[in-house]
Structure formats: structure tokens, C-alpha cells
Amino acid sequence: MKILAIETSCDDTCAAVLENDRLLSSVISSQTDLHAKWGGVVPDIAKRAHESRIKAVIATAIIRSNSKISNFQFSKNKEEKLDQIIEQGMKDIDVIVVTQGPGLAIALGIGVNKAKELAIKYNKKLIGVNHVEAHILANLIKNKKGKPERKIEFPALALTVSGGHTKIVLMEQNDKFPIFNFQFLKKENINFKYTVVGETLDDAAGEALDKAAKMMGLGYPGGPIIERLAQKGDKNFLKLPRPLSTQKNFDYSFSGLKTSFYYQIKDWPKEKIGGNLANLSASFQDAVFDSLLIKLKKAIEFYNPKTILASGGVLANLEIRKRLRKLAKESKTPLLMPVKKQFNTDNAAMIGITAYYKALRGEFAEKKEKLDRNPRLTF
Ligand code: KG4
Ligand code: ZN
């Protein structure tokens, strides 16, 4: 089964091609430069950028996945050439998949409309995917050679943290099989059942990092900039709260942390902030990561998972990856994290792998023209 995946939920225009769960190509056209000067994603700018880039991104993913295609004689006109590449590529694509939500409505719309247009025009099966599920399943992406071979033992706990969500999800094998191929599903453990056991009550952790970066006058997205500065800083420089850490649930809150940070530095002259960027970054990052791990540790103690998974944009951070490895070792539980940094931040490979499992379960869109974006899709 060959899958073409499309992702446009925020500020990256992405496409990927997979052969089953093996990734053949993944293209990410980042819009960071367009949004940086506004200190965050501007929906209208994102929409227009997705619109102008999507065709080229899909065509590039197709070309990179299929060496035969470059032998064709294509038109010299750029637009025509892109259409021809897509037309050739479609000959061996079986399924088209797209992020339905959650995300920015007008950005999602570009990907959803493109996926529908192609699925209808070329008579392909169509699947809509939840972006949060895709972040979790990014852990299962394999390379062309089928590596790494990973197995999730159930129950599993997944921490997924990005600019839009922060969740601890209990993953179990779903024993209810309403669909075909019961034996296969049972053998492969692919009928996942998800229960969100903890989540943020306000800001996402990545959003908090982005907002703190903005308060310090740093660029966007803030997470990677803070990571770099924090390496040389003193994490005990500012005293910041670890909200909800003593409560007996697995929920998070980051807005109080952000407010505390704001009030502590708001009257500082610019030079004082500028002279302490490393210390401020280290203190804020440490408070965010402590919060994330305190609750995850509690959830591990409560649910006793056989596998821990971690993913999402914030997991591109080497410091939290290191701390997670330590926590998993202490809990004597295997830990899975996406094998490549670019599988943590938004990408279409994770949308493709999610669709692979959905396709095995027969979860295709019944009426292609009715598949719609869902900016508030829950998980
Ligand atoms: O998954 P993602 O690309 O998009 C969403 O679904 O939101 O995550 C983006 C978020 C941003 O908040 C960004 O600051 C954060 O992930 N991020 C990082 C790092 N790279 C991206 N946070 C901390 N350290 C990083 N290296
Ligand atoms: Zn994301």
C-alpha cells in the first residue's frame, strides 16, 4: 500500500510518501521566516503560504519517493510540470491522507481541499487523521529498510508535547474488533485505544516556551532558542512555580508559570534582561520540564506501563530527552522517542504512519467530498 500524506495544520507545509509503514520521502516547507517578525503564527499568512507551496511540496515528495518519475519529459512551464509530476506519481499511490485537525482552520482547509481534490480526481481512497494521534504514532515511522522495528507493549503511556497540546495518553490494545481481519489485528497489536489521562488546563508547554521567548525579546519559535541559551545558564537563577505539581491528578498548567515569569522581569531594564538571557532561559525551561516530568512520573507509578512513548515539537529538545531517558531507566520501562528530530516537530510522515494503521483497520472516508477540516478535533 502506497500512501501520500499531507499536513498543513499550522505553519509547515508538509507531504510524505510511505510504502506501508516505511517512509520513502518526507518534505517540510517551513514558514518560520514569514511568521518570525510577528512573534507567532499569523493564520492568514500561513494560509497563503500553504496555498502557494502545497503543489510543489507534494510533487517534491513524489519525485523523491519514486526515481522512475524523473525519467519523464516534463513541460518547461513550472506549474504544468508540477501537475504532470503529481499525475505520474498518482499512478502508484493507493491512499491519500490528510490532517483533519486540530489546528488553524484556514491552514487545515488548504491541505484537506488538496487531498480531496486529488482523491476524487484520481479515484484514490481518502483518510482524515487526528494531528495529536499522529504525533504519538511518529514513534512507529520506519525507514526504507523497515528499521527500527519497534513494538509497543500495552498498556503504554504516551507523553506528547507541542505548541498546541500537552497530554499524557494511556494507550491500550482495543479488544473490540468491529472490523475485518480480526486475527491480523490481534497479532499486530494495531487496534489502539487511547484515553487522555492528563492534559494542560490552559497553555501548551511549547506555547509557554514561545511566550517566554517573546517576553525576552527572542525570536519565534521560542523553544529551540531557549534550548540553545539555556545550555549556558543557571536554572536556579529565578524561582519559578511548578503549577499543580502537588495535586493528585496528571494535569498540567503553564499559564501561572508564564505570569510569574512576566511579573519577575517586567520592570527590569532591557540591558538586565539582555545580560541574563541564558539564566532566564535555563530557569524557565527547567520549570517547564520539571512540570512535565513530575506528572509523567506520577502517571507511570499509577499505570505501570510496559512502554513509554514521548513525542511532539518540544521533544526535539535534547535536555528533556535526556531527562526522560533517566526517568524511564529509573522506572525500568522501555522508552520510545521518534528516531529523527524532524519527526517530533510537524511533518507529514507521522500523518502517513497513522493512516497506515487506519487503512489496516478499514477506516477510510466514506464520502470523499464530505471529509471536512475540524480545527477543534478532540483526542
Ligand atoms: O509539533 P510542533 O511542530 O507543532 C505543533 O503541533 O504545535 O511543535 C511546535 C512547538 C513550538 O512551541 C516550539 O517552540 C516547540 O515545539 N519546539 C521546541 C523545540 N523545537 C520546537 N521546544 C523546545 N526545544 C526545542 N528544541
Ligand atoms: Zn504538531
Side-chain angles (χ1 to χ4, degrees):
M1 171 173 47
K2 226 172 185 183
I3 302 167
L4 169 69
I6 299 172
E7 148 70 42
T8 63
S9 68
C10 191
D11 61 343
D12 294 301
T13 317
C14 317
V17 178
L18 293 86
E19 172 83 53
N20 295 323
D21 55 354
R22 298 173 183 212
L23 183 64
L24 304 183
S25 67
S26 174
V27 178
I28 301 168
S29 173
S30 165
Q31 303 171 11
T32 304
D33 48 339
L34 298 180
H35 301 285
K37 67 174 176 225
W38 306 102
V41 179
V42 184
D44 202 47
I45 295 179
K47 173 186 179 256
R48 273 181 279 136
H50 285 311
E51 236 161 15
S52 65
R53 297 176 183 193
I54 189 138
K55 215 197 263 185
V57 167
I58 292 173
T60 310
I62 286 174
I63 286 249
R64 289 190 189 159
S65 72
N66 185 339
S67 54
K68 281 181 286 173
I69 289 190
S70 43
N71 298 333
F72 284 91
Q73 286 288 317
F74 291 113
S75 162
K76 290 210 165 40
N77 175 294
K78 198 175 160 223
E79 281 299 300
E80 276 176 25
K81 181 176 171 184
L82 295 178
D83 285 328
Q84 288 169 344
I85 292 170
I86 292 174
E87 191 170 315
Q88 288 301 325
M90 280 304 146
K91 288 185 180 157
D92 56 20
I93 295 286
D94 303 293
V95 181
I96 298 179
V97 47
V98 65
T99 308
Q100 247 184 307
L104 292 173
I106 55 176
L108 286 165
I110 304 297
V112 168
N113 287 342
K114 192 70 187 170
K116 276 158 73 171
E117 175 200 314
L118 294 176
I120 292 168
K121 182 171 176 189
Y122 296 104
N123 193 23
K124 306 293 175 188
K125 291 202 179 296
L126 181 64
I127 296 180
V129 158
N130 184 308
H131 184 88
V132 180
E133 179 180 9
H135 269 301
I136 296 175
L137 296 187
N139 279 295
L140 299 180
I141 299 169
K142 292 181 180 162
N143 68 14
K144 273 180 206 157
K145 294 186 180 139
K147 297 274 180 324
E149 275 178 34
R150 286 178 156 180
K151 198 156 190 258
I152 302 175
E153 299 283 349
F154 298 97
L157 268 187
L159 173 73
T160 175
V161 188
S162 79
H165 63 268
T166 305
K167 290 183 198 294
I168 300 178
V169 180
L170 175 68
M171 254 176 111
E172 292 161 296
Q173 192 181 343
N174 198 347
D175 289 326
K176 294 194 185 81
F177 297 104
I179 32 190
F180 64 93
N181 217 346
F182 175 90
Q183 281 309 326
F184 178 70
L185 293 181
K186 188 132 192 151
K187 192 173 96 223
E188 297 287 321
N189 271 355
I190 59 158
N191 205 7
F192 310 129
K193 180 176 154 202
Y194 304 99
T195 313
V196 176
V197 295
E199 63 189 327
T200 184
L201 305 177
D202 39 60
D203 293 350
E207 188 182 359
L209 288 165
D210 294 340
K211 286 179 178 167
K214 202 170 174 180
M215 287 179 215
M216 291 187 274
L218 304 170
Y220 177 85
I225 305 172
I226 287 184
E227 174 178 25
R228 186 170 41 77
L229 287 164
Q231 285 165 359
K232 294 202 170 78
D234 172 11
K235 63 182 185 182
N236 298 314
F237 180 73
L238 275 195
K239 207 167 151 36
L240 291 163
R242 272 61 173 158
L244 307 187
S245 60
T246 54
Q247 286 194 8
K248 280 205 175 95
N249 56 33
F250 311 118
D251 289 332
Y252 293 108
S253 165
F254 292 101
S255 80
L257 169 59
K258 179 191 66 188
T259 312
S260 168
F261 187 70
Y262 171 75
Y263 279 109
Q264 292 195 54
I265 65 167
K266 82 174 172 37
D267 296 326
W268 288 17
K270 262 193 174 157
E271 306 73 58
K272 189 172 171 190
I273 294 184
N276 280 294
L277 289 175
N279 292 331
L280 292 171
S281 296
S283 302
F284 193 82
Q285 180 178 277
D286 192 56
V288 171
F289 292 175
D290 257 0
S291 301
L292 288 171
L293 296 187
I294 288 169
K295 286 300 175 81
L296 181 65
K297 185 163 189 270
K298 282 189 186 184
I300 293 171
E301 284 162 5
F302 188 81
Y303 289 103
N304 243 318
K306 295 206 179 89
T307 314
I308 302 167
L309 299 95
S311 58
V314 175
L315 268 296
N317 185 295
L318 294 181
E319 175 64 23
I320 195 166
R321 291 170 82 89
K322 195 168 87 190
R323 289 174 64 171
L324 264 167
R325 271 189 220 106
K326 187 161 168 270
L327 175 62
K329 204 168 166 195
E330 284 164 4
S331 335
K332 299 191 176 60
T333 315
L335 168 70
L336 302 182
M337 292 190 278
V339 285
K340 284 188 175 177
K341 200 171 170 173
Q342 65 265 37
F343 296 160
N344 281 296
T345 44
D346 287 349
N347 64 86
M350 68 184 193
I351 306 302
I353 189 83
T354 308
Y356 164 70
Y357 291 104
K358 286 192 135 208
L360 291 181
R361 299 192 298 258
E363 294 172 11
F364 301 104
E366 273 179 28
K367 291 208 167 70
K368 291 177 207 170
E369 60 284 359
K370 288 233 167 96
L371 185 93
D372 206 359
R373 67 185 179 188
N374 186 350
R376 292 180 194 283
L377 189 61
T378 53
F379 183 71

